[in-house]
Amino acid sequence: MTKKINDSFQTSLAQGGDNLTTPFKPIIPGIFTSTTYQRDEDNQYRSGRVYSRADNPTYDAPEKLIAQLEHAADAKLFASGMAAATAVFQALKPGDTVLAPDIMYWALRNWLKGLATDAGLNVHFVDMTQLDKVENKVMQLQPKLIWLETPGNPMWTVSDIRAIADIATQHGARVAVDSTVATPILTRPLELGADIVMHSATKYLNGHSDVIAGALATREKDDFWQRILAIRAQGGAVPSPMDAAQLLRGMRTLYLRVRESCDSAMFLAEQLEQHPMVCEVLYPGLPSFTGYAVARKQMQGGFGGMLSIRLVGGEHQAVGTAAKTRLWHRATSLGGVESLIEHRASIEGSGTPVPNDLLRLSVGIERKEDLLADLVHAIEASA
Ligand code: PLP
């Protein structure tokens, strides 16, 4: 058994944070569509708002709530998860070295190998599940930033945030964690020693597959954070006010959705592990999974709503299974209330470390027995 979910999150999330201290005491905070704000007569901007490329009052409530959930000094919304993640790397200087996991969100890996490298970052990849390898690389390369993604998409590799943060501290590196899949309900990286947490808010935080957004939360409002804020403000990497409001609405049910998805994902993982046509189930909650011990230690209340399966019939059966499901929708993305199935190797293309017999499953909040029956039927029909 993992530790119990922190119940106070349930209350804060359900109420969308505390908005009653703002003018009019709204239960639901307002949406500010204005792009610009009036100056005071003495030429000051005492309201703190100037122009919406940099900031917007609609962000205040979701940002405050994310900071509260992550136990952060500050949190900011971004136009997408990628905008949030790339802002962290852009805050480094040309010539700086970064260490990233060999299993991670593929579009960010491609960006690191391409545009970030072109811009002068020295990017190295390492198996973040092997602490001795991480320590060796850190000693050898002296990176400025260690990027973690745990559980790591789409093999759900689990990296030990506390142990890696300890290594980083000894060598003067920062640690940033893509915690999209864990969500603040299951893991709070800042409590484990990380400096920055990143979320693709497009996924679980919003939860309804109708908003693209990202978020960063920081342990300290230090100079590095100020550089990140400057990158957001100067480049305008911000969501629309409508999206920010919709994100807050989605977050109000985050606790319930994550709890339900975790429960169903665990059920599916245990059932599918016994199916003769499934050669491997990748899920941090299974004792047979290599990351299980660390997951038990750093995830509270569940192991997430994401799992992957590998099929004995290889790519043919994997693609065939995705084609034959009725309830599981064939689509990219994750973390929504509807369950999605995806043949990852097809989307990641050549050079991917993902085996071509693998299907990624994003478990929504449908009845878990229906999801299992649909999937088993598709697996058997594609044999
Ligand atoms: N991180 C993870 C783990 C993701 O799965 C994704 C998107 O799939 C991202 C980051 C990027 O987020 P966005 O699509 O909001 O830019």
Side-chain angles (χ1 to χ4, degrees):
M1 284 294 290
T2 54
K3 281 180 254 158
K4 196 171 171 293
I5 290 176
N6 182 344
D7 283 325
S8 66
F9 286 177
Q10 183 174 6
T11 302
S12 305
L13 281 164
Q15 300 192 347
D18 176 12
N19 303 301
L20 300 178
T21 51
T22 57
F24 305 125
K25 304 189 190 312
I27 303 300
I28 306 297
I31 302 175
F32 294 81
T33 53
S34 185
T35 54
T36 191
Y37 301 84
Q38 168 134 305
R39 275 186 192 268
D40 300 331
E41 285 178 8
D42 60 359
N43 217 26
Q44 303 297 304
Y45 271 116
R46 284 195 190 75
S47 72
R49 308 291 170 170
V50 178
Y51 189 54
S52 277
R53 186 180 61 219
D55 210 349
N56 183 293
T58 320
Y59 308 158
D60 293 355
E63 287 176 346
K64 217 169 121 190
L65 190 52
I66 291 167
Q68 185 188 338
L69 297 175
E70 292 290 5
H71 295 173
D74 199 10
K76 290 287 174 199
L77 295 186
F78 284 77
S80 67
M82 280 296 284
T86 55
V88 178
F89 293 101
Q90 283 167 353
L92 297 166
K93 305 253 172 74
D96 283 351
T97 296
V98 303
L99 205 52
D102 52 5
I103 300 297
M104 67 183 293
Y105 175 54
W106 72 291
L108 185 58
R109 183 176 58 234
N110 287 351
W111 182 85
L112 286 169
K113 285 183 176 170
L115 293 174
T117 300
D118 291 348
L121 282 187
N122 298 314
V123 183
H124 295 264
F125 296 90
V126 66
D127 179 351
M128 287 288 177
T129 66
Q130 304 292 317
L131 290 176
D132 51 341
K133 287 191 184 158
V134 176
E135 188 156 25
N136 282 342
K137 282 273 184 200
V138 171
M139 285 193 315
Q140 179 197 333
L141 300 167
Q142 296 294 316
K144 286 276 189 303
L145 178 75
I146 304 177
W147 183 264
L148 305 182
E149 181 181 319
T150 182
N153 189 358
M155 315 284 277
W156 317 118
T157 42
V158 179
S159 37
D160 188 330
I161 300 171
R162 190 182 289 284
I164 294 173
D166 284 347
I167 296 171
T169 306
Q170 284 164 31
H171 296 271
R174 281 191 172 76
V175 173
V177 182
D178 180 343
S179 197
T180 299
V181 169
T183 80
I185 305 293
L186 307 176
T187 306
R188 281 161 306 283
L190 302 184
E191 283 179 358
L192 300 171
D195 299 282
I196 289 177
V197 184
M198 175 252 148
H199 290 282
S200 165
T202 312
K203 316 297 180 192
Y204 288 99
L205 293 187
N206 179 59
H208 293 78
S209 309
D210 54 8
V211 168
I212 296 280
L216 292 177
T218 185
R219 192 148 57 89
E220 274 181 50
K221 290 198 214 178
D222 55 10
D223 289 350
F224 192 68
W225 183 245
Q226 298 310 325
R227 280 177 70 81
I228 289 172
L229 299 191
I231 288 159
R232 183 183 89 145
Q234 292 172 26
V238 290
S240 76
M242 301 298 183
D243 280 351
Q246 197 143 309
L247 170 61
L248 183 66
R249 178 158 79 177
M251 284 175 66
R252 293 167 73 108
T253 56
L254 177 68
Y255 178 90
L256 296 179
R257 290 184 284 100
V258 168
R259 197 173 58 172
E260 192 68 14
S261 291
C262 285
D263 177 60
S264 298
M266 189 64 171
F267 168 79
L268 288 166
E270 284 171 344
Q271 298 293 317
L272 291 166
E273 202 176 27
Q274 289 163 31
H275 195 287
M277 290 181 186
V278 177
C279 52
E280 194 179 2
V281 177
L282 306 172
Y283 184 61
L286 289 178
S288 58
F289 187 68
T290 40
Y292 177 68
V294 179
R296 262 188 64 145
K297 201 172 61 168
Q298 79 184 15
M299 299 182 82
Q300 299 177 351
F303 297 96
M306 297 302 302
L307 68 146
S308 294
I309 55 174
R310 300 182 64 185
L311 296 167
V312 292
E315 181 175 9
H316 173 77
Q317 193 177 19
V319 174
T321 298
K324 288 191 170 60
T325 53
R326 212 172 41 80
L327 297 181
W328 296 80
H329 297 311
R330 279 180 305 284
T332 199
S333 201
L334 57 98
V337 292
E338 64 291 311
S339 295
L340 301 181
I341 187 166
E342 188 177 35
H343 182 247
R344 269 319 279 180
S346 300
I347 198 155
E348 297 197 9
S350 66
T352 175
V354 179
N356 62 14
D357 59 4
L358 180 143
L359 285 172
R360 185 179 82 175
L361 306 174
S362 173
V363 182
I365 61 167
E366 303 94 333
R367 193 170 159 266
K368 60 190 176 194
E369 291 82 3
D370 295 344
L371 291 174
L372 179 66
D374 187 42
L375 194 56
V376 167
H377 172 264
I379 291 171
E380 291 172 2
S382 62

